[in-house]
Amino acid sequence: MRMNKCSRKDYISDLPESIVDIILTKLPIRDAVRTSILSTKWRYQWATMTRVVFKNHVPYKSDNKLAEQEITNFIMRFLFLHQGPIYKFKLSTNCSMNSTDMDQWLLFLSRKDIKELVLMLDANCLKIPSHIFSCQKLTTLKLQASDVKPPLRFRGLPCLKYLNLCSGLFTIEDIENLISGCPLLEKFTFTNVGDPMGFAIHGPNLKHLILNGDFSNLNLEHSPFLDVLRVDFRAQVWESNVLMKVPVTYDRLKFIDLQGINYEEGNAVLYVLHLILHSPNLQELEIGATQFESSHDKAVDLDFWEKECPTDFTFKHLKLVEMCGLPNKSCVEFLKFVLGRSPVLEVMRVSLDEAYDGEMNMANELLHFQCASPKVDIKFFD
């Protein structure tokens, strides 16, 4: 049987360079380099990849030093043989990395028009060399387990739009200095695993703010254009002047997700109240309640919400409310408050916490409470 000549045609090699680049980025980086043996045309295809991802996770109890040297040598050879721009560089490893080696990589990348830089370092908290701040075209920066301290002559990152800092060694001053040097920043994600901190977010163009960890307060005065706010408050101590930390109106804020709220903590519920009162266009509200011993002698009264809220206040645009965790009566009173002040509410989803003694009574209360919205659907889930 004679083979059709068309069946022997190399269709993949005839693909546009942009498609070949996408194919190579879907492969593990070492396999992408191995494509050089396919043919003469493929010999240097890997050397023009614009998106480069290194993943190297060694098993527990392996020779970490040997693995570190291996990945370091591989990255060094790859970068020095690479031609053209590198728009994305990602390194994910549990090996201990050397700051000196990384300094050379970052210097190299700063000259390759790097726009997206992701360093996921699990093994140690590496002090990031200052060359990272020479990457002036960065639009995305994600750092895990990194010690980030902007240099004294920090010029800022003028193109940065997305910043993610996780599990590193940060001071309030370092974070505030970094954010203030990013005038186009639109999304900031921060996970604090150290001591409780309170700081001011100076983000004139910030739209999405996601915070996890210990926070004693949060000053949003200088971030007036927030659309989405997600905060997981794990701290058990709130500053007494926390109410003054939300002095402006957030006309664009449509989604609020607050986790770790203790409804028996006076300053915590004051923060929640003040925040929602200053978000007139709020459409979705998610609350995660928790319970621990209050840090103040004065307990929150059950009628707190009705007493502290202006009589004419309503959630004019609120359509969805979800609450997880109902450890006490105070949480139920908050939900009643929302139901009574939300004329366009469509769905309220509430988790039934088995630890709550009055679980069924609480459900009956909510179902029979007078609602401002005639079409609200109250749903319960485990």
Side-chain angles (χ1 to χ4, degrees), residues 222-268:
H222 303 288
S223 303
F225 299 124
L226 284 176
D227 291 331
V228 175
L229 176 64
R230 294 179 182 268
V231 186
D232 186 351
F233 290 106
R234 301 173 191 170
Q236 299 186 16
V237 179
W238 290 68
E239 290 188 2
S240 59
N241 64 341
V242 68
L243 190 62
M244 302 303 295
K245 301 302 180 182
V246 194
V248 297
T249 298
Y250 298 91
D251 292 320
R252 301 189 182 187
L253 193 55
K254 297 179 180 179
F255 178 88
I256 295 178
D257 180 2
L258 301 176
Q259 302 295 320
I261 299 296
N262 180 14
Y263 281 82
E264 293 186 346
E265 168 63 57
N267 285 330

Side-chain angles (χ1 to χ4, degrees), residues 174-218:
D174 292 338
I175 296 175
E176 292 180 350
N177 186 20
L178 180 57
I179 293 177
S180 63
C182 305
L184 299 183
L185 190 66
E186 294 182 359
K187 185 174 181 179
F188 176 46
T189 300
F190 175 51
T191 300
N192 174 37
V193 296
D195 296 330
M197 65 167 57
F199 62 101
I201 304 293
H202 289 255
N205 288 299
L206 196 63
K207 297 179 181 178
H208 289 68
L209 178 60
I210 303 172
L211 302 175
N212 300 283
D214 291 344
F215 300 96
S216 56
N217 70 65
L218 178 62

Side-chain angles (χ1 to χ4, degrees), residues 280-292:
N281 294 309
L282 184 64
Q283 296 181 7
E284 296 185 26
L285 176 63
E286 294 185 10
I287 297 288
T290 188
Q291 187 176 26
F292 44 76

Side-chain angles (χ1 to χ4, degrees), residues 351-364 380 382:
S351 68
L352 293 176
D353 194 328
E354 295 180 357
Y356 181 64
D357 294 335
E359 178 182 325
M360 295 308 300
N361 290 335
M362 178 272 296
N364 288 329
F380 299 94
D382 295 331

Side-chain angles (χ1 to χ4, degrees), residues 15 23 57 63 75 128 169 172 192 212 228 254 324 370:
L15 290 172
I23 293 174
H57 290 266
D63 190 339
I75 293 176
I128 298 298
L169 297 179
I172 296 174
N192 174 37
N212 300 283
V228 175
K254 297 179 180 179
C324 298
Q370 186 174 0

